[in-house]
Amino acid sequence: MRLSEHIYSTITSIRGPLLFIDEVFTARIGEVVRVHSPDGRIMDGEVLKIDAKTVLIQVYGETRGLDIENTSIVFADTVKKAPLSTDIIGRIFNGSFAPIDGLPMFIPEKWSPITGFPINPSARARPEEFIETGFSVIDGLNTLVKGQKLPIFSCAGLPSKEVAAGMLKNAIIPPVLPLAKGGEGGFVNRGKGDFVVVFVAIGLTYHEYSFYMNILGEMKGGFVAFVNMADEPVMERLLAPRFALASAEYLAFEKGMDVLVVITDMTNYCDALREVSTAREELPGRRGYPGYMYSDLASIYERAGRIKGIPGSVTMLPIVTMPEDDITHPIPDLTGYITEGQIVLNRELHQKGIFPPVDVLPSLSRLMQRGIGEGHTRGDHRKIANDLYKYYAKGRDLRRLEAIVGRDGMTDSDRQMLDFADAFEREFVNQRMERRDVNETLDIGLNILKRFSLEVR
Amino acid sequence: MTRRIRGISGPTVSVEFSGLKLYERLYVGHAMLTGEVVRLDRDRAVVQVYEDTKGLGIDEPVNIVGMPLTVRLGPGLLAGMFDGLQRPLKRLREDMGPFIIRGKQMYALDHMKRWRFSPLKRKGDDVRTGDILGYVEEGAFKHLITCNCDGRIVWITDGEFSLGEPIGKLEDGKEIFGCHEWPVRMSRPYKRKFPPSEPLVTGQRCIDFLFPIARGGTVILPGGFGTGKTILEQAIAKSADVDIVVYVGCGERGNEMADLIDEFATLSDPWTGRGLMERTILVVNTSNMPVAAREASIYTAATMAEYYRDMGYHVLLLADSLSRWAEALREISSSLEEMPGEEGYPTYLASRLSGFFERAGVVETLSGRIGSLSMVLSVSPPGGDFTEPVTQACLRAAGAFLMLDTSLAHRRHFPAINYFQSYSLYEKDIVRHFNEQISSEWAGLMQRCRELLQAEERLREVAEIIGVEGLQDADMILMKVAEMIRIEFLCQNAYAEDAFSPPEKTVSKIREVVEFYDSSISRLREGVSRNQ
Ligand SMILES: Nc1ncnc2c1ncn2[C@@H]1O[C@H](COP(=O)(O)OP(=O)(O)OP(=O)(O)O)[C@@H](O)[C@H]1O
Ligand SMILES: [Mg+2]
């Protein structure tokens, strides 16, 4: 602790969200500073770099209106911390953790550094408990498990908003029941007591904002929301997910809750990262994104997980809009390199009116294998999922042939496969806004297989 | 003498210059973070800090430890799990809970544990560096204790000891211990090197049969995300025919490691039947752990691997992924404000990489034994584009290239090794070996298998247009058989019984398919139609 507080008015330069201050006696990396603007506003900032007596500060707030002569800086001698309490449940905050739902600020039980600490790999418990999202293509074919990070890759104009809304409203952790033989047992819907959704919205437009506010209104609790609007400071886009994850870790590993973190849209996050990096005059990497973007994204995504001997879990569903529908663009690419699979939305399916428009072929949940089957979902789950995938892939292959030789030029069995692929899309993938439990999902899949005499043995 | 921090930028810190040496190890700040001097300028020394620098302040003290970054080598490494600086993760967890807090120093080896030493030298013997003094039983392995200096033994123990106490003494008063420190960036000495010529059986049919690799060789596995690099690395770690496996999770996922630990604990080595963990050392520096330690992790692992090689063991080092190492190098380089090369990587990327690859090989050790260090390294090219600098630099240095193909992975053809573009420079020697040891048909079958796959590729275009039904009978059979090769022979489900395929099974499987093809064709010639 420092004995006295220093107030500096020795700013030498201001560049976008960055300030350079001279003649600083003492400062720490990551230290929080208060920036007092000439018009009386107070903003937070953070020390990024120290070079002898010159300190580089990144400001979390609107730097418009700052000047060199009259702006002053106070060093707070602490790193950025999040106020935590179970009272955050049911509340809506902005990207700086200030309430925006009209209610007063809660009284924090504790404060924790927003960047958290890495989980010791030997302390991690492997993810293997099923989370039911209510969407057949996910629960049936790309199952999500507790502690997993599974992104949704979307394209501009696809209904990723509605998919996110479905997750917010419908995801539950079904209690594991001793299942009857052949998997005839069912699930009962459990209340959301120990299950909380943390919703992080980054760079929302007003239109999206009102959409999500309606959804949160319908949810009546069981959530914590952090909302950063498109016209709010760029730096808050970098803060919001970290506040959210500090909250998620607190609820999960200190309060024993299962937390599902839905983040939309990571593309806005990465663009903010690029903007700040450019202001810092860092060397740009691919498409102008900074070279450390992999490590930066990992510092967010890797906070998902479970810990041995501690109840609770953090599961993550980030939504990524692929610029130019390109999956090799650095944002989806680096995301895919860190997360455990991906759910890919497809324009063609959307145009056919299928919701959710999930393309099963490139989608994959890498941790699915341990979360399904007897004791998790149903004994026949694996077989049904494999068969649906296999025949659908075949059907999709044949569509290309159909385009060349025409349907009439094909054998009966090939035509049947084409019909199967259509039925699969229309009946299994497509479900509009209805919620299906995993039993219904598997039954629908089984019925389609039976109808085409592709029975599961 | 204590120096003071003058500046901090990302993972690097600049310090008052006086009297520091290059690559000297330091404790940085009140939190005592491990650092290493990486550059000396006229007026300051630049220190690379191996832990998160958050909270570090200007004017905080910097103290010299003396040595460069080292690892501790001695009995007790096997079955261990370490971070990139060789801190033991399990004991770290007992000490500070499930999260890693900074600035905790902890020795890799347990200095309280008692081992039984059996001497092979006696009082009065003259010994030289590299000579074997005796051994301890580390699980099923004879862990040889070698001498680090020259002299005459005046006293040597026979019985229990712990790593903190001497096991012997030389005439000049020098004490001998059961463990020692070795700088990670310096490869350990050996007498001479041989070209790799013996097979390293992986249990993966596609590798053993089409692109066989050698003990002491280097293999790279580049592939976009989700192409199965990690699963393949782990499958090889489980079933490779080597004595000891060092697996590095370099900048990858924590959940993956949790999965590996749980799985390895229950599996056994298919060659010896012993617990898999008993032969394994894990080095784990996940993507959210400090980048500088990630950069060090592959060297930490290689040094431990060389240590066991020097006892005459066949050691396999697997790293997932080398690209994350290169990115760490890039992050450090950019915080040092070095002149960037291609895609921002420092210009010394290729030389560092080839220097690392050089640590592999078959050697005669100082004590005259034969040991080997093989490397299987995954590479994660951005956007799956193999023209990027890291893949290209690896290609120049590696002996085998197993290209993982996104389109095969999307069709769930796993392992997604592209069977046309991959290659192994060890092929000739190893195939000769298999021909002699396993089956005299090996080379012939391999040729046939390749031809069938190539013929299928040519026919596929035709079939795309006219449909498979439109093909001639012989071509139709060929297509079917090639499909059998792809799906039943080349594919190997990592989650099934089939995950490990010994060479005998591999060759008999392909023989069946090729014989089936030959008999179908000859029956066709005799006038039997294809449907029969
Ligand atoms: N041999 C195999 N058998 C069955 N499935 C496999 C096999 N190899 C890969 N897969 C499937 O592919 C998925 C991705 O594999 P893996 O995690 O090894 O990819 P990766 O190349 O390491 O990706 P990343 O670069 O993102 O780490 C696995 O979760 C699994 O579903
Ligand atoms: Mg991987």
Side-chain angles (χ1 to χ4, degrees), chain A residues 27 29 50 52 118 120 294-295 333 337-340 363 370, chain B residues 6 8 55-56 58 89 98 100 251 253 255 259 331 381 383 412:
Chain A
I29 290 288
I50 309 171
N120 184 325
Y294 175 84
S295 298
D333 189 50
Y337 268 127
I338 304 167
T339 54
E340 288 128 355
S363 300
R370 304 206 188 281
Chain B
R6 283 288 160 258
I8 309 166
L56 210 56
I58 198 150
L89 287 167
I100 300 180
R253 306 170 179 85
N255 281 335
D259 196 51
E331 276 182 48
R412 311 233 162 150

PDB file of all heavy atoms in Angstrom, chain A residues 27 29 50 52 118 120 294-295 333 337-340 363 370, chain B residues 6 8 55-56 58 89 98 100 251 253 255 259 331 381 383 412:
ATOM      1  N   ALA A  27       3.978   3.303 -10.109  1.00  0.00           N
ATOM      2  CA  ALA A  27       2.784   2.782 -10.777  1.00  0.00           C
ATOM      3  C   ALA A  27       2.983   1.286 -10.969  1.00  0.00           C
ATOM      4  O   ALA A  27       4.108   0.797 -10.968  1.00  0.00           O
ATOM      5  CB  ALA A  27       2.604   3.447 -12.135  1.00  0.00           C
ATOM      6  N   ILE A  29       1.694  -2.280 -13.273  1.00  0.00           N
ATOM      7  CA  ILE A  29       0.985  -2.762 -14.461  1.00  0.00           C
ATOM      8  C   ILE A  29      -0.411  -3.222 -14.028  1.00  0.00           C
ATOM      9  O   ILE A  29      -0.564  -3.916 -13.031  1.00  0.00           O
ATOM     10  CB  ILE A  29       1.751  -3.939 -15.090  1.00  0.00           C
ATOM     11  CG1 ILE A  29       3.038  -3.457 -15.729  1.00  0.00           C
ATOM     12  CG2 ILE A  29       0.891  -4.656 -16.118  1.00  0.00           C
ATOM     13  CD1 ILE A  29       2.848  -2.664 -17.003  1.00  0.00           C
ATOM     14  N   ILE A  50       4.806   0.766 -18.581  1.00  0.00           N
ATOM     15  CA  ILE A  50       5.572   1.759 -17.836  1.00  0.00           C
ATOM     16  C   ILE A  50       6.959   1.828 -18.447  1.00  0.00           C
ATOM     17  O   ILE A  50       7.591   0.798 -18.655  1.00  0.00           O
ATOM     18  CB  ILE A  50       5.714   1.360 -16.349  1.00  0.00           C
ATOM     19  CG1 ILE A  50       4.341   1.028 -15.754  1.00  0.00           C
ATOM     20  CG2 ILE A  50       6.408   2.463 -15.561  1.00  0.00           C
ATOM     21  CD1 ILE A  50       4.403   0.433 -14.374  1.00  0.00           C
ATOM     22  N   ALA A  52      10.242   3.959 -17.544  1.00  0.00           N
ATOM     23  CA  ALA A  52      10.839   4.914 -16.607  1.00  0.00           C
ATOM     24  C   ALA A  52       9.731   5.736 -15.967  1.00  0.00           C
ATOM     25  O   ALA A  52       8.863   5.174 -15.327  1.00  0.00           O
ATOM     26  CB  ALA A  52      11.881   5.766 -17.300  1.00  0.00           C
ATOM     27  N   PRO A 118      -5.636 -18.360 -13.797  1.00  0.00           N
ATOM     28  CA  PRO A 118      -5.821 -19.604 -14.560  1.00  0.00           C
ATOM     29  C   PRO A 118      -6.113 -20.792 -13.639  1.00  0.00           C
ATOM     30  O   PRO A 118      -5.514 -20.903 -12.561  1.00  0.00           O
ATOM     31  CB  PRO A 118      -4.481 -19.810 -15.270  1.00  0.00           C
ATOM     32  CG  PRO A 118      -3.570 -18.713 -14.840  1.00  0.00           C
ATOM     33  CD  PRO A 118      -4.298 -17.781 -13.942  1.00  0.00           C
ATOM     34  N   ASN A 120      -5.543 -24.288 -12.387  1.00  0.00           N
ATOM     35  CA  ASN A 120      -4.466 -25.277 -12.446  1.00  0.00           C
ATOM     36  C   ASN A 120      -4.979 -26.494 -13.224  1.00  0.00           C
ATOM     37  O   ASN A 120      -5.986 -27.087 -12.839  1.00  0.00           O
ATOM     38  CB  ASN A 120      -4.087 -25.660 -11.009  1.00  0.00           C
ATOM     39  CG  ASN A 120      -2.916 -26.614 -10.951  1.00  0.00           C
ATOM     40  OD1 ASN A 120      -2.752 -27.472 -11.821  1.00  0.00           O
ATOM     41  ND2 ASN A 120      -2.102 -26.490  -9.919  1.00  0.00           N
ATOM     42  N   TYR A 294      -4.940 -14.522 -30.067  1.00  0.00           N
ATOM     43  CA  TYR A 294      -5.165 -15.891 -29.589  1.00  0.00           C
ATOM     44  C   TYR A 294      -5.096 -15.949 -28.064  1.00  0.00           C
ATOM     45  O   TYR A 294      -6.002 -16.458 -27.403  1.00  0.00           O
ATOM     46  CB  TYR A 294      -4.139 -16.846 -30.208  1.00  0.00           C
ATOM     47  CG  TYR A 294      -4.231 -18.266 -29.671  1.00  0.00           C
ATOM     48  CD1 TYR A 294      -5.142 -19.178 -30.210  1.00  0.00           C
ATOM     49  CD2 TYR A 294      -3.413 -18.692 -28.633  1.00  0.00           C
ATOM     50  CE1 TYR A 294      -5.232 -20.464 -29.713  1.00  0.00           C
ATOM     51  CE2 TYR A 294      -3.493 -19.980 -28.131  1.00  0.00           C
ATOM     52  CZ  TYR A 294      -4.406 -20.870 -28.684  1.00  0.00           C
ATOM     53  OH  TYR A 294      -4.492 -22.139 -28.177  1.00  0.00           O
ATOM     54  N   SER A 295      -4.015 -15.389 -27.495  1.00  0.00           N
ATOM     55  CA  SER A 295      -3.867 -15.416 -26.035  1.00  0.00           C
ATOM     56  C   SER A 295      -4.967 -14.620 -25.355  1.00  0.00           C
ATOM     57  O   SER A 295      -5.465 -15.013 -24.303  1.00  0.00           O
ATOM     58  CB  SER A 295      -2.514 -14.849 -25.615  1.00  0.00           C
ATOM     59  OG  SER A 295      -1.473 -15.631 -26.150  1.00  0.00           O
ATOM     60  N   ASP A 333     -11.622 -18.366 -36.752  1.00  0.00           N
ATOM     61  CA  ASP A 333     -10.495 -19.295 -36.811  1.00  0.00           C
ATOM     62  C   ASP A 333      -9.848 -19.446 -35.430  1.00  0.00           C
ATOM     63  O   ASP A 333      -9.704 -20.556 -34.912  1.00  0.00           O
ATOM     64  CB  ASP A 333      -9.471 -18.792 -37.830  1.00  0.00           C
ATOM     65  CG  ASP A 333      -8.372 -19.800 -38.114  1.00  0.00           C
ATOM     66  OD1 ASP A 333      -8.714 -20.968 -38.396  1.00  0.00           O
ATOM     67  OD2 ASP A 333      -7.186 -19.442 -38.040  1.00  0.00           O
ATOM     68  N   TYR A 337      -9.898 -22.572 -32.691  1.00  0.00           N
ATOM     69  CA  TYR A 337      -8.666 -23.159 -32.161  1.00  0.00           C
ATOM     70  C   TYR A 337      -8.668 -23.224 -30.635  1.00  0.00           C
ATOM     71  O   TYR A 337      -7.815 -23.856 -30.035  1.00  0.00           O
ATOM     72  CB  TYR A 337      -7.452 -22.351 -32.627  1.00  0.00           C
ATOM     73  CG  TYR A 337      -6.830 -22.839 -33.917  1.00  0.00           C
ATOM     74  CD1 TYR A 337      -6.607 -21.992 -34.990  1.00  0.00           C
ATOM     75  CD2 TYR A 337      -6.434 -24.175 -34.052  1.00  0.00           C
ATOM     76  CE1 TYR A 337      -6.015 -22.442 -36.168  1.00  0.00           C
ATOM     77  CE2 TYR A 337      -5.844 -24.626 -35.219  1.00  0.00           C
ATOM     78  CZ  TYR A 337      -5.637 -23.761 -36.272  1.00  0.00           C
ATOM     79  OH  TYR A 337      -5.041 -24.213 -37.425  1.00  0.00           O
ATOM     80  N   ILE A 338      -9.576 -22.500 -29.990  1.00  0.00           N
ATOM     81  CA  ILE A 338      -9.579 -22.489 -28.525  1.00  0.00           C
ATOM     82  C   ILE A 338     -10.761 -23.262 -27.955  1.00  0.00           C
ATOM     83  O   ILE A 338     -10.650 -23.920 -26.928  1.00  0.00           O
ATOM     84  CB  ILE A 338      -9.606 -21.029 -27.992  1.00  0.00           C
ATOM     85  CG1 ILE A 338      -8.426 -20.237 -28.558  1.00  0.00           C
ATOM     86  CG2 ILE A 338      -9.562 -21.002 -26.474  1.00  0.00           C
ATOM     87  CD1 ILE A 338      -8.531 -18.746 -28.355  1.00  0.00           C
ATOM     88  N   THR A 339     -11.896 -23.182 -28.650  1.00  0.00           N
ATOM     89  CA  THR A 339     -13.110 -23.789 -28.091  1.00  0.00           C
ATOM     90  C   THR A 339     -13.171 -25.285 -28.386  1.00  0.00           C
ATOM     91  O   THR A 339     -12.362 -25.811 -29.135  1.00  0.00           O
ATOM     92  CB  THR A 339     -14.349 -23.106 -28.690  1.00  0.00           C
ATOM     93  OG1 THR A 339     -14.228 -23.183 -30.117  1.00  0.00           O
ATOM     94  CG2 THR A 339     -14.424 -21.665 -28.268  1.00  0.00           C
ATOM     95  N   GLU A 340     -14.154 -25.921 -27.787  1.00  0.00           N
ATOM     96  CA  GLU A 340     -14.264 -27.371 -27.935  1.00  0.00           C
ATOM     97  C   GLU A 340     -15.395 -27.719 -28.892  1.00  0.00           C
ATOM     98  O   GLU A 340     -16.390 -28.308 -28.512  1.00  0.00           O
ATOM     99  CB  GLU A 340     -14.462 -28.003 -26.553  1.00  0.00           C
ATOM    100  CG  GLU A 340     -13.172 -27.943 -25.737  1.00  0.00           C
ATOM    101  CD  GLU A 340     -13.361 -27.340 -24.371  1.00  0.00           C
ATOM    102  OE1 GLU A 340     -14.470 -26.872 -24.065  1.00  0.00           O
ATOM    103  OE2 GLU A 340     -12.382 -27.333 -23.602  1.00  0.00           O
ATOM    104  N   SER A 363     -20.652 -28.839 -38.012  1.00  0.00           N
ATOM    105  CA  SER A 363     -20.809 -28.607 -36.569  1.00  0.00           C
ATOM    106  C   SER A 363     -20.306 -29.813 -35.799  1.00  0.00           C
ATOM    107  O   SER A 363     -20.393 -30.946 -36.263  1.00  0.00           O
ATOM    108  CB  SER A 363     -22.277 -28.370 -36.218  1.00  0.00           C
ATOM    109  OG  SER A 363     -22.763 -27.246 -36.908  1.00  0.00           O
ATOM    110  N   ARG A 370     -18.608 -37.893 -23.945  1.00  0.00           N
ATOM    111  CA  ARG A 370     -18.653 -38.255 -22.524  1.00  0.00           C
ATOM    112  C   ARG A 370     -19.954 -37.852 -21.863  1.00  0.00           C
ATOM    113  O   ARG A 370     -20.219 -38.232 -20.726  1.00  0.00           O
ATOM    114  CB  ARG A 370     -17.504 -37.600 -21.773  1.00  0.00           C
ATOM    115  CG  ARG A 370     -16.182 -37.938 -22.357  1.00  0.00           C
ATOM    116  CD  ARG A 370     -15.072 -37.849 -21.367  1.00  0.00           C
ATOM    117  NE  ARG A 370     -13.803 -38.005 -22.033  1.00  0.00           N
ATOM    118  CZ  ARG A 370     -13.305 -39.167 -22.412  1.00  0.00           C
ATOM    119  NH1 ARG A 370     -13.961 -40.286 -22.157  1.00  0.00           N
ATOM    120  NH2 ARG A 370     -12.154 -39.248 -23.047  1.00  0.00           N
TER     121      ARG A 370
ATOM    122  N   ARG B   6      12.790  -0.578 -14.040  1.00  0.00           N
ATOM    123  CA  ARG B   6      12.702   0.735 -14.664  1.00  0.00           C
ATOM    124  C   ARG B   6      11.535   0.861 -15.640  1.00  0.00           C
ATOM    125  O   ARG B   6      11.051   1.938 -15.923  1.00  0.00           O
ATOM    126  CB  ARG B   6      14.019   1.040 -15.392  1.00  0.00           C
ATOM    127  CG  ARG B   6      15.121   1.439 -14.454  1.00  0.00           C
ATOM    128  CD  ARG B   6      14.851   2.849 -13.897  1.00  0.00           C
ATOM    129  NE  ARG B   6      15.593   3.100 -12.683  1.00  0.00           N
ATOM    130  CZ  ARG B   6      15.077   3.053 -11.457  1.00  0.00           C
ATOM    131  NH1 ARG B   6      13.803   2.766 -11.292  1.00  0.00           N
ATOM    132  NH2 ARG B   6      15.807   3.285 -10.392  1.00  0.00           N
ATOM    133  N   ILE B   8       8.063  -1.575 -17.650  1.00  0.00           N
ATOM    134  CA  ILE B   8       7.364  -2.847 -17.811  1.00  0.00           C
ATOM    135  C   ILE B   8       6.509  -2.766 -19.064  1.00  0.00           C
ATOM    136  O   ILE B   8       5.774  -1.798 -19.262  1.00  0.00           O
ATOM    137  CB  ILE B   8       6.440  -3.144 -16.607  1.00  0.00           C
ATOM    138  CG1 ILE B   8       7.206  -2.985 -15.296  1.00  0.00           C
ATOM    139  CG2 ILE B   8       5.855  -4.546 -16.718  1.00  0.00           C
ATOM    140  CD1 ILE B   8       6.308  -2.923 -14.095  1.00  0.00           C
ATOM    141  N   GLY B  55       0.309  -6.182 -11.771  1.00  0.00           N
ATOM    142  CA  GLY B  55       0.562  -5.825 -10.373  1.00  0.00           C
ATOM    143  C   GLY B  55       2.013  -5.469 -10.100  1.00  0.00           C
ATOM    144  O   GLY B  55       2.346  -4.944  -9.046  1.00  0.00           O
ATOM    145  N   LEU B  56       2.861  -5.755 -11.048  1.00  0.00           N
ATOM    146  CA  LEU B  56       4.279  -5.444 -10.881  1.00  0.00           C
ATOM    147  C   LEU B  56       4.468  -3.926 -10.994  1.00  0.00           C
ATOM    148  O   LEU B  56       3.892  -3.302 -11.869  1.00  0.00           O
ATOM    149  CB  LEU B  56       5.037  -6.142 -12.005  1.00  0.00           C
ATOM    150  CG  LEU B  56       6.474  -6.579 -11.745  1.00  0.00           C
ATOM    151  CD1 LEU B  56       6.534  -7.486 -10.531  1.00  0.00           C
ATOM    152  CD2 LEU B  56       7.001  -7.309 -12.964  1.00  0.00           C
ATOM    153  N   ILE B  58       6.918  -0.188 -10.785  1.00  0.00           N
ATOM    154  CA  ILE B  58       8.212   0.402 -11.045  1.00  0.00           C
ATOM    155  C   ILE B  58       8.968   0.551  -9.721  1.00  0.00           C
ATOM    156  O   ILE B  58       8.347   0.656  -8.666  1.00  0.00           O
ATOM    157  CB  ILE B  58       7.998   1.754 -11.743  1.00  0.00           C
ATOM    158  CG1 ILE B  58       9.276   2.201 -12.411  1.00  0.00           C
ATOM    159  CG2 ILE B  58       7.472   2.802 -10.811  1.00  0.00           C
ATOM    160  CD1 ILE B  58       8.992   3.028 -13.605  1.00  0.00           C
ATOM    161  N   LEU B  89       2.529 -29.311 -10.837  1.00  0.00           N
ATOM    162  CA  LEU B  89       1.180 -28.761 -10.749  1.00  0.00           C
ATOM    163  C   LEU B  89       0.356 -29.387  -9.630  1.00  0.00           C
ATOM    164  O   LEU B  89      -0.462 -28.727  -9.013  1.00  0.00           O
ATOM    165  CB  LEU B  89       0.473 -28.904 -12.101  1.00  0.00           C
ATOM    166  CG  LEU B  89       1.001 -27.920 -13.153  1.00  0.00           C
ATOM    167  CD1 LEU B  89       0.524 -28.277 -14.540  1.00  0.00           C
ATOM    168  CD2 LEU B  89       0.585 -26.495 -12.801  1.00  0.00           C
ATOM    169  N   PRO B  98      -7.138 -24.464  -6.342  1.00  0.00           N
ATOM    170  CA  PRO B  98      -7.338 -24.800  -7.751  1.00  0.00           C
ATOM    171  C   PRO B  98      -6.857 -23.753  -8.746  1.00  0.00           C
ATOM    172  O   PRO B  98      -6.762 -24.044  -9.930  1.00  0.00           O
ATOM    173  CB  PRO B  98      -8.849 -24.974  -7.866  1.00  0.00           C
ATOM    174  CG  PRO B  98      -9.417 -24.209  -6.735  1.00  0.00           C
ATOM    175  CD  PRO B  98      -8.415 -24.265  -5.633  1.00  0.00           C
ATOM    176  N   ILE B 100      -3.963 -20.918 -10.144  1.00  0.00           N
ATOM    177  CA  ILE B 100      -2.530 -20.673 -10.065  1.00  0.00           C
ATOM    178  C   ILE B 100      -2.268 -19.210  -9.737  1.00  0.00           C
ATOM    179  O   ILE B 100      -2.591 -18.320 -10.516  1.00  0.00           O
ATOM    180  CB  ILE B 100      -1.830 -21.052 -11.388  1.00  0.00           C
ATOM    181  CG1 ILE B 100      -2.058 -22.533 -11.659  1.00  0.00           C
ATOM    182  CG2 ILE B 100      -0.343 -20.740 -11.308  1.00  0.00           C
ATOM    183  CD1 ILE B 100      -1.419 -23.017 -12.923  1.00  0.00           C
ATOM    184  N   GLY B 251       0.161 -24.179 -24.802  1.00  0.00           N
ATOM    185  CA  GLY B 251      -0.784 -23.137 -25.205  1.00  0.00           C
ATOM    186  C   GLY B 251      -2.091 -23.678 -25.725  1.00  0.00           C
ATOM    187  O   GLY B 251      -2.732 -23.066 -26.558  1.00  0.00           O
ATOM    188  N   ARG B 253      -5.764 -26.372 -24.600  1.00  0.00           N
ATOM    189  CA  ARG B 253      -6.900 -26.298 -23.675  1.00  0.00           C
ATOM    190  C   ARG B 253      -6.698 -27.042 -22.354  1.00  0.00           C
ATOM    191  O   ARG B 253      -6.109 -28.112 -22.331  1.00  0.00           O
ATOM    192  CB  ARG B 253      -8.129 -26.902 -24.357  1.00  0.00           C
ATOM    193  CG  ARG B 253      -8.441 -26.295 -25.692  1.00  0.00           C
ATOM    194  CD  ARG B 253      -9.513 -27.100 -26.386  1.00  0.00           C
ATOM    195  NE  ARG B 253      -9.851 -26.528 -27.671  1.00  0.00           N
ATOM    196  CZ  ARG B 253      -9.204 -26.770 -28.804  1.00  0.00           C
ATOM    197  NH1 ARG B 253      -8.171 -27.583 -28.799  1.00  0.00           N
ATOM    198  NH2 ARG B 253      -9.589 -26.212 -29.927  1.00  0.00           N
ATOM    199  N   ASN B 255      -9.240 -28.296 -20.516  1.00  0.00           N
ATOM    200  CA  ASN B 255     -10.144 -29.454 -20.448  1.00  0.00           C
ATOM    201  C   ASN B 255      -9.536 -30.676 -21.119  1.00  0.00           C
ATOM    202  O   ASN B 255      -9.728 -31.809 -20.674  1.00  0.00           O
ATOM    203  CB  ASN B 255     -11.483 -29.127 -21.121  1.00  0.00           C
ATOM    204  CG  ASN B 255     -12.380 -28.301 -20.215  1.00  0.00           C
ATOM    205  OD1 ASN B 255     -12.257 -28.352 -18.988  1.00  0.00           O
ATOM    206  ND2 ASN B 255     -13.278 -27.543 -20.809  1.00  0.00           N
ATOM    207  N   ASP B 259      -8.883 -34.327 -19.414  1.00  0.00           N
ATOM    208  CA  ASP B 259      -9.332 -35.542 -20.049  1.00  0.00           C
ATOM    209  C   ASP B 259      -8.178 -36.537 -20.186  1.00  0.00           C
ATOM    210  O   ASP B 259      -8.301 -37.716 -19.859  1.00  0.00           O
ATOM    211  CB  ASP B 259      -9.864 -35.166 -21.436  1.00  0.00           C
ATOM    212  CG  ASP B 259     -10.706 -36.254 -22.037  1.00  0.00           C
ATOM    213  OD1 ASP B 259     -11.614 -36.713 -21.328  1.00  0.00           O
ATOM    214  OD2 ASP B 259     -10.449 -36.646 -23.185  1.00  0.00           O
ATOM    215  N   GLU B 331       5.031 -12.833 -29.400  1.00  0.00           N
ATOM    216  CA  GLU B 331       4.575 -11.859 -28.405  1.00  0.00           C
ATOM    217  C   GLU B 331       5.746 -11.271 -27.631  1.00  0.00           C
ATOM    218  O   GLU B 331       5.794 -10.076 -27.364  1.00  0.00           O
ATOM    219  CB  GLU B 331       3.581 -12.511 -27.423  1.00  0.00           C
ATOM    220  CG  GLU B 331       2.169 -12.519 -27.956  1.00  0.00           C
ATOM    221  CD  GLU B 331       1.149 -13.121 -26.985  1.00  0.00           C
ATOM    222  OE1 GLU B 331       1.157 -12.732 -25.799  1.00  0.00           O
ATOM    223  OE2 GLU B 331       0.361 -13.973 -27.412  1.00  0.00           O
ATOM    224  N   PRO B 381      -1.805 -24.068 -38.352  1.00  0.00           N
ATOM    225  CA  PRO B 381      -1.707 -22.922 -39.259  1.00  0.00           C
ATOM    226  C   PRO B 381      -2.986 -22.083 -39.242  1.00  0.00           C
ATOM    227  O   PRO B 381      -4.077 -22.644 -39.325  1.00  0.00           O
ATOM    228  CB  PRO B 381      -1.510 -23.562 -40.637  1.00  0.00           C
ATOM    229  CG  PRO B 381      -1.893 -24.989 -40.479  1.00  0.00           C
ATOM    230  CD  PRO B 381      -1.818 -25.346 -39.047  1.00  0.00           C
ATOM    231  N   GLY B 383      -6.143 -20.261 -40.271  1.00  0.00           N
ATOM    232  CA  GLY B 383      -7.003 -20.453 -41.425  1.00  0.00           C
ATOM    233  C   GLY B 383      -6.709 -21.727 -42.194  1.00  0.00           C
ATOM    234  O   GLY B 383      -7.150 -21.890 -43.325  1.00  0.00           O
ATOM    235  N   ARG B 412     -15.472 -36.818 -41.498  1.00  0.00           N
ATOM    236  CA  ARG B 412     -15.210 -37.684 -40.347  1.00  0.00           C
ATOM    237  C   ARG B 412     -14.328 -38.875 -40.727  1.00  0.00           C
ATOM    238  O   ARG B 412     -14.542 -39.987 -40.262  1.00  0.00           O
ATOM    239  CB  ARG B 412     -16.515 -38.131 -39.678  1.00  0.00           C
ATOM    240  CG  ARG B 412     -17.439 -36.945 -39.435  1.00  0.00           C
ATOM    241  CD  ARG B 412     -17.913 -36.814 -38.023  1.00  0.00           C
ATOM    242  NE  ARG B 412     -18.398 -35.439 -37.837  1.00  0.00           N
ATOM    243  CZ  ARG B 412     -19.359 -35.071 -37.010  1.00  0.00           C
ATOM    244  NH1 ARG B 412     -19.927 -35.962 -36.237  1.00  0.00           N
ATOM    245  NH2 ARG B 412     -19.728 -33.820 -36.908  1.00  0.00           N
TER     246      ARG B 412
END
